[in-house]
Amino acid sequence: MATEVYRESFERRTKTVRYIRILEGLADTQFGPVYLGMWGAFALFSYLMCVFITAIGYGEQVGYNPIRFLREFAVLTLYPPSSASGLQMAPLQQGGYWQLATLFLVLTLVFWTIRIWTRAVANGLRPMVPVAFSAALFLFAAIYVIHPIWVGSWNEAPGHGIRAVLLWTNHFSVKYGNFYYNPFHMLSIFGLLGSTVILAMHGGTILATLSYGSHRELDEIEDSDEGTHRAQLLWRWVMGFNATAFSIHQWALGFATLVAVAGAIGVLASGPVEPNWFVWGCRADITPGLQAACPTP
Amino acid sequence: MSTDNMSAADGAIAQYDEKQRSIMRGEVAGLVAGAILALGGVIALTLMLADRRAFEGYRAESQYNYAGVQRVSYTDYLASQGRKVVQPSAEAITAYNAWQAANPKTVNVNVLNKYLGDKYTDTAAVFGYMSSYFTPGVGVSCEYCHNLENFSSDEKPTKATARAMLVMQFELQNKWIETIPRPEGQVVYQLKCASCHNGQPKFWNNALIVSASDPKNFGKAAGVFGGGNPTSYDLKNIGVTLNGQTPPFYSFVDDEYLAARADADGSVNFFQVTADKDTPPGLNATYRNQNAMYHQNSALGVGCDFCHYGGYFASYVLEDGTFKWPKSQARHMQGMVQDIAINWFPQMPNLVDTAQPNCYMCHRGNVVPPGDYDDPERPAQVADPEIKPLVDLPVLKPILPEQ
């Protein structure tokens, strides 16, 4: 059954799809059709507003000189309001641009999530893609909105800019002791590395068993065949157990969402729950080698 | 399902399979090509950086290795910039010989003899000191400060400045350099004119200015070569001020730093480093701290772990208990820079209003300032110096290894 459904879908698609051969070597790419819709229009409008506000803020810094804009793009930054401003609205050039740009960026991501959700439902799918995207959105919201509101200062959020995000990553870690000792950061990195290796294992396994048809995933999920059996045998030989053609996708989704959710909890806990993660590491005695550098209680 | 349908389905699947194999071959070729390009790019970028750093005299061996730090000689430092050590002019030597013949004992010498002893009541000894340290250090001949007809005259304003600077040099040596926390056996160098002037009468002590509008500084402003030095826009937005104004660049002397005072325990926190439960929210203080640290990276030509334990910057010891003397010394030197900014520069005659001391002023990218001397002749403590500090800034309580 699955084979027949798949075949029909494939035959139907191949009648209208045009392959752009220049991209064929990278992926089985297909362009269009794009569905805009109400939520797409909202997302696009919010995004353009965010870009416009950011461009105005950047433009003021370079005197609206396009050459300077391009040359200094990597260091141009919209800063959040200063520490003293707390959560108040700030004048445009003292954090107001950042507040407006962040507001529209948040709206963009919310509208985009709703858009994916409505498109998934319209396509007869379970909303797993917007659910996965929501994990990333949660991390974004934790960094830019929830944590600053919790501690009472927009200044805790990153600026908008290439260097600004890199600096924030460093400075947030320095302020809170050392983020590497944050257990939620550890868990997030575990998820990051885990999802990376799972994606590599899965992709490699499917490509390796191409000759045995394991890439026909719908058929294989419903009724596994030689390719899947050989792939599963490989992993049993290598590490003693195997996922199925279906459960490997649950593993991947779980690890990927773990990255963002654990990371978000780690950010939220920094300050209100634990102001110094290195000191927490000392208290938790997570490695005896640290003790010489631990502050005296 | 009929046989015809079966074969049609098999044909479609075979066609699909072949297409997937074709794609996979393309992907593999693309991956290999991409990997080669990426590797080539990394190698090319590394070579470019290495070439630029070699061009800039970047000393890789001192970046992270405390044990490998070597002092750069003053002569070599000047040579690296295409300059030579300056000597008194022939005209000045002729004039000095005539002056010394007429005045074998000094006239109107008030500072050298006070700090270095009666030896400097001889004109020849004073000339020896002047031609050894003043002329090479400041990069000018005697006539820059002296009337060659009358060496004792105070008519030139540069002489008044030089005399005040000499008092400052000796007072700083006694108060800060001699008291620097150090491991047993480490050399204590002597401040001389060259320590700050480096062979230039008017020296640009703020060479770490990074203006993003200057094309030459783009790499530094972006943090590619200079460790992320802040732009004036950054300073405005993180609230750094000097004399109430946003400074055009940042080298850690700001209003907050100048206002910091040691508590009863002799401790002072010039820069907020890590948070505790009472730390107010916001990252501005951390930005300020980090920019001050970047200045010190660039000024001494070292990485963070020259002073810090990378696992916890606030710690004075590594995870194995090794004491990080450079961190303790850097803290001590921050006290000295504050002293210079508050007590000495404001009292120097004819000094540019905006002049501010910083680490680069003396270190010039080296752990040991190239203008320092390993001179056994040490200044005495003087009870009544000609210039007295404006504000009482006690020496910080040193951070020392626990016994």
Side-chain angles (χ1 to χ4, degrees):
Chain A
M1 177 62 188
T3 305
E4 208 162 320
V5 170
Y6 188 86
R7 188 199 71 217
E8 286 175 12
S9 169
F10 176 71
E11 287 176 344
R12 177 167 54 79
R13 286 195 297 127
T14 51
K15 284 178 186 170
T16 53
V17 168
R18 294 184 63 195
Y19 287 95
I20 300 174
R21 302 195 66 83
I22 195 169
L23 293 174
E24 195 174 345
L26 294 175
D28 194 3
T29 307
Q30 176 181 337
F31 283 103
V34 172
Y35 178 89
L36 185 61
M38 180 179 73
W39 296 112
F42 284 172
L44 185 64
F45 173 77
S46 297
Y47 178 68
L48 291 177
M49 284 298 291
C50 176
V51 170
F52 175 71
I53 292 163
T54 306
I56 294 291
Y58 284 0
E60 284 190 4
Q61 295 170 47
V62 295
Y64 297 101
N65 180 331
I67 303 299
R68 279 188 65 193
F69 177 82
L70 292 174
R71 199 174 60 212
E72 299 166 24
F73 185 73
V75 299
L76 291 176
T77 303
L78 290 189
Y79 280 96
S82 72
S83 302
S85 298
L87 293 173
Q88 295 172 337
M89 282 299 293
L92 282 179
Q93 291 164 342
Q94 295 165 32
Y97 280 130
W98 180 91
Q99 288 175 318
L100 286 176
T102 304
L103 171 67
F104 282 108
L105 190 53
V106 170
L107 288 175
T108 302
L109 294 170
V110 170
F111 291 147
W112 190 259
T113 309
I114 297 173
R115 169 178 149 78
I116 304 175
W117 193 296
T118 57
R119 284 306 86 207
V121 171
N123 204 8
L125 307 180
R126 296 171 69 210
M128 299 314 293
V129 173
V131 165
F133 188 71
S134 299
L137 188 58
F138 178 44
L139 177 57
F140 169 84
I143 293 172
Y144 282 83
V145 181
I146 305 171
H147 177 74
I149 289 176
W150 192 0
V151 300
S153 173
W154 291 120
N155 194 252
E156 290 274 329
H160 293 311
I162 294 174
R163 188 185 60 160
V165 173
L166 299 174
L167 287 180
W168 177 88
T169 308
N170 177 24
H171 297 172
F172 197 79
S173 175
V174 167
K175 174 168 182 179
Y176 293 112
N178 183 343
F179 231 56
Y180 291 137
Y181 292 99
N182 180 335
F184 298 103
H185 186 266
M186 295 176 192
L187 199 57
S188 179
I189 297 301
F190 171 72
L192 178 68
L193 301 181
S195 55
T196 304
V197 77
I198 280 178
L199 187 62
M201 288 164 75
H202 179 50
T205 302
I206 297 303
L207 292 178
T209 51
L210 210 57
S211 307
Y212 301 104
S214 67
H215 55 283
R216 298 193 288 265
E217 292 197 63
L218 290 179
D219 300 277
E220 294 298 311
I221 287 171
E222 187 173 284
D223 182 13
S224 60
D225 207 340
E226 186 179 358
T228 299
H229 294 162
R230 284 176 182 265
Q232 291 172 336
L233 181 60
L234 172 77
W235 290 113
R236 285 200 301 278
W237 277 348
V238 170
M239 61 183 192
F241 72 99
N242 64 266
T244 67
F246 176 65
S247 70
I248 184 63
H249 302 99
Q250 292 176 313
W251 280 96
L253 182 62
F255 269 82
T257 51
L258 180 68
V259 177
V261 173
I265 294 171
V267 168
L268 294 175
S270 299
V273 177
E274 177 55 62
N276 191 319
W277 291 110
F278 183 84
V279 174
W280 177 87
C282 292
R283 284 204 309 272
D285 199 12
I286 53 177
T287 161
L290 289 181
Q291 294 307 317
C294 286
T296 310
Chain B
M1 195 175 283
S2 71
T3 310
D4 286 348
N5 282 343
M6 284 291 288
S7 59
D10 288 347
I13 291 170
Q15 181 191 356
Y16 173 72
D17 288 351
E18 178 50 34
K19 187 150 198 70
Q20 296 304 308
R21 289 191 195 99
S22 163
I23 290 167
M24 188 190 74
R25 284 193 290 273
E27 282 171 349
V28 170
L31 281 173
V32 171
I36 291 171
L37 284 174
L39 188 62
V42 168
I43 292 171
L45 193 62
T46 307
L47 290 175
M48 282 166 58
L49 285 173
D51 183 55
R52 183 178 175 103
R53 288 180 170 188
F55 177 73
E56 291 179 342
Y58 181 91
R59 297 188 308 118
E61 76 276 10
S62 74
Q63 284 299 292
Y64 298 100
N65 182 3
Y66 183 46
V69 170
Q70 298 293 323
R71 181 171 174 244
V72 175
S73 82
Y74 183 52
T75 310
D76 289 347
Y77 172 72
L78 293 186
S80 72
Q81 300 192 341
R83 295 190 284 141
K84 291 181 180 173
V85 176
V86 173
Q87 298 296 334
S89 67
E91 182 191 4
I93 289 175
T94 305
Y96 159 73
N97 286 333
W99 175 263
Q100 197 272 339
N103 302 281
K105 286 293 180 183
T106 56
V107 182
N108 193 22
V109 169
N110 305 314
V111 179
L112 275 177
N113 54 342
K114 204 168 187 178
Y115 283 92
L116 298 180
D118 291 341
K119 172 185 169 186
Y120 289 98
T121 54
D122 286 337
T123 302
V126 172
F127 179 76
Y129 191 94
M130 291 284 166
S131 55
S132 298
Y133 299 125
F134 268 77
T135 299
V138 186
V140 291
S141 183
C142 314
E143 56 268 33
Y144 187 75
C145 297
H146 291 281
N147 175 352
L148 295 184
E149 303 292 321
N150 177 7
F151 277 80
S152 67
S153 167
D154 289 340
E155 66 193 67
K156 292 199 175 184
T158 45
K159 188 179 178 188
T161 305
R163 181 181 279 144
M165 289 276 180
L166 192 59
V167 174
M168 175 178 74
Q169 171 196 306
F170 288 138
E171 289 294 320
L172 291 176
Q173 177 75 33
N174 284 333
K175 182 174 180 181
W176 295 101
I177 305 297
E178 298 293 336
T179 60
I180 192 168
R182 61 186 182 276
E184 192 176 340
Q186 189 175 81
V187 177
V188 177
Y189 291 97
Q190 287 237 38
L191 293 178
K192 298 292 181 188
C193 307
S195 300
C196 303
H197 281 267
N198 280 293
Q200 293 169 302
K202 294 178 181 175
F203 59 94
W204 186 244
N205 74 353
N206 299 317
L208 293 176
I209 286 178
V210 175
S211 165
S213 59
D214 183 345
K216 291 190 302 242
N217 287 331
F218 169 66
K220 289 179 182 174
V224 178
F225 304 118
N229 292 301
T231 65
S232 55
Y233 181 80
D234 295 330
L235 297 176
K236 180 183 170 191
N237 281 275
I238 63 177
V240 168
T241 56
L242 180 60
N243 300 322
Q245 304 289 320
T246 302
F249 57 89
Y250 188 54
S251 60
F252 87 60
V253 175
D254 60 27
D255 290 340
E256 198 174 335
Y257 171 79
L258 295 175
R261 293 290 181 271
D263 60 18
D265 295 333
S267 300
V268 61
N269 186 15
F270 290 123
F271 307 104
Q272 180 261 327
V273 182
T274 50
D276 58 32
K277 62 181 174 54
D278 300 321
T279 304
L283 292 176
N284 276 355
T286 314
Y287 279 75
R288 174 177 166 270
N289 165 70
Q290 293 301 95
N291 287 328
M293 296 299 139
Y294 297 149
H295 165 77
Q296 290 169 83
N297 286 145
S298 306
L300 271 70
V302 294
C304 310
D305 58 354
F306 181 73
C307 291
H308 291 280
Y309 165 44
Y312 187 46
F313 287 130
S315 173
Y316 279 85
V317 295
L318 298 176
E319 70 271 40
D320 66 359
T322 306
F323 188 73
K324 294 293 276 184
W325 284 103
K327 179 171 162 69
S328 181
Q329 293 171 340
R331 173 181 172 274
H332 190 83
M333 288 290 97
Q334 286 163 10
M336 183 178 80
V337 173
Q338 189 195 37
D339 194 14
I340 297 171
I342 292 176
N343 283 327
W344 295 100
F345 273 18
Q347 300 195 73
M348 291 298 111
N350 311 310
L351 204 65
V352 183
D353 287 346
T354 55
Q356 292 293 338
N358 60 35
C359 305
Y360 185 81
M361 181 170 76
C362 297
H363 284 272
R364 305 274 164 167
N366 301 282
V367 172
V368 179
D372 279 4
Y373 282 76
D374 185 10
D375 183 358
E377 193 173 51
R378 302 275 158 173
Q381 294 281 355
V382 171
D384 56 337
E386 282 80 354
I387 304 171
K388 295 181 176 58
L390 300 169
V391 177
D392 181 28
L393 291 175
V395 174
L396 307 180
K397 182 184 175 186
I399 307 287
L400 298 170
E402 291 179 8
Q403 299 302 316

